[in-house]
Amino acid sequence: TDDPGLHMLRAAMLMFPKRLFRPCAMDLRGFRAFFDDDWTCWWGPASLGKTRRAAVLMLVWWIADPANTYIPCCSTTAAMLDKRVWGDIEMLFHAFHTQEQFKEFPAKMVASEREIQYIEEGHPNPKAVIRGIAIQQGSIADALGNVVGVHNERVLLMVDEAQASREALIEARSNLRQGTRVFKILMIRNPTSRSDPLGKYSTPSHPDGWKHVEQFDEVPWEHTGLGGAKSTVMLKRPRYVEWRTKYGSVLVFCGLDSPGIDDPENFHFMITRRNIDDAIADKGPDHSSFWTMTIGFICPNDPSLLLFNPVLFTAKNA
């Protein structure tokens, strides 16, 4: 197909029940960006489907050619793996593998190892796995060893909680890339700063750098306060939701575009109008937490900007 992202979406709709994967336009955007670039960063707020979207993507991509595919799926700790992306992978794989038409697919889940293994001639292929890896536990050497010790023709390094990941993990990509035919990196999380790992690898390649993409349009939001009072609040919407980096691309899923706003019945698990109203009432639309957790963009008043603006730093501390 000349649209592999659309093909992946259609495959996912056949593989997973609607109660676990309810597709929307954001899924197609994410899948297309994945195929368009070998290194993709997904930005977005909480409760906008990034983790489930990534889990679906990894399973479909692995199942398409399991014998030749290795996916190290990384998060900060074992607890965060189980709560987030690995928990979604387990749930989706179980739903897939228990359907009558997919029961004979030669793979098995080994929960104690956080691993899905491809079974080849009756035996698990150690190179053909999806493996959940906690990269903040143990030494850096241990974390890297768990990630880079496997090579296959197709490799996808997926990093959840990317803003808190060990940068050495990303720098180890040269090892993972060796001997591959296809090598991809997907980093996802709520953006917090230019200076953390997610921010670093999201730096725009445009000559104006961050200045180019940190532009916003003001849009009116009909706000309902906690007491039911109505008012109009002006919110800043990122003008750029896609841009090029030195490594690949960034895709922003803006909370103001959540399907849960217009269709809360079908997308109640995503950000709704009530969620945004509550966030506005809590700390206001200019607070850094509102930008990170509701808009899905680095706050324009990012404290890390001080690292790049000594004049501002001096003025602030005078």
Side-chain angles (χ1 to χ4, degrees), residues 145-218:
N146 289 333
V147 173
V148 304
V150 178
H151 297 276
N152 210 332
E153 290 186 24
R154 301 164 81 236
V155 173
L156 164 58
L157 171 61
M158 188 275 173
V159 186
D160 191 16
E161 301 283 336
Q163 86 290 356
S165 67
R166 283 172 162 167
E167 195 164 333
L169 169 71
I170 312 300
E171 293 301 327
R173 62 187 180 276
S174 58
N175 180 293
L176 272 175
R177 185 181 284 116
Q178 291 179 9
T180 63
R181 175 170 51 85
V182 179
F183 179 74
K184 289 181 172 288
I185 295 178
L186 174 62
M187 301 175 69
I188 71 171
R189 195 54 178 120
N190 320 117
T192 56
S193 173
R194 293 180 181 184
S195 58
D196 64 29
L198 179 62
K200 176 180 176 179
Y201 293 107
S202 298
T203 301
S205 58
H206 190 277
D208 291 338
W210 286 107
K211 183 179 179 181
H212 174 68
V213 302
E214 289 181 338
Q215 301 182 48
F216 309 97
D217 296 314
E218 287 201 339

Side-chain angles (χ1 to χ4, degrees), residues 202-276:
S202 298
T203 301
S205 58
H206 190 277
D208 291 338
W210 286 107
K211 183 179 179 181
H212 174 68
V213 302
E214 289 181 338
Q215 301 182 48
F216 309 97
D217 296 314
E218 287 201 339
V219 296
W221 178 265
E222 299 306 314
H223 171 57
T224 302
L226 297 179
K230 305 285 186 179
S231 63
T232 299
V233 177
M234 299 305 294
L235 299 181
K236 293 179 180 177
R237 175 194 291 274
R239 187 173 299 170
Y240 291 95
V241 293
E242 295 181 29
W243 63 82
R244 304 297 307 169
T245 71
K246 173 183 176 182
Y247 309 96
S249 64
V250 173
L251 193 68
V252 179
F253 300 104
C254 179
L256 299 181
D257 297 325
S258 170
I261 295 174
D262 293 327
D263 189 2
E265 182 175 348
N266 286 311
F267 294 96
H268 57 86
F269 50 89
M270 289 191 178
I271 290 176
T272 64
R273 177 171 288 275
R274 180 73 262 175
N275 297 145
I276 296 177

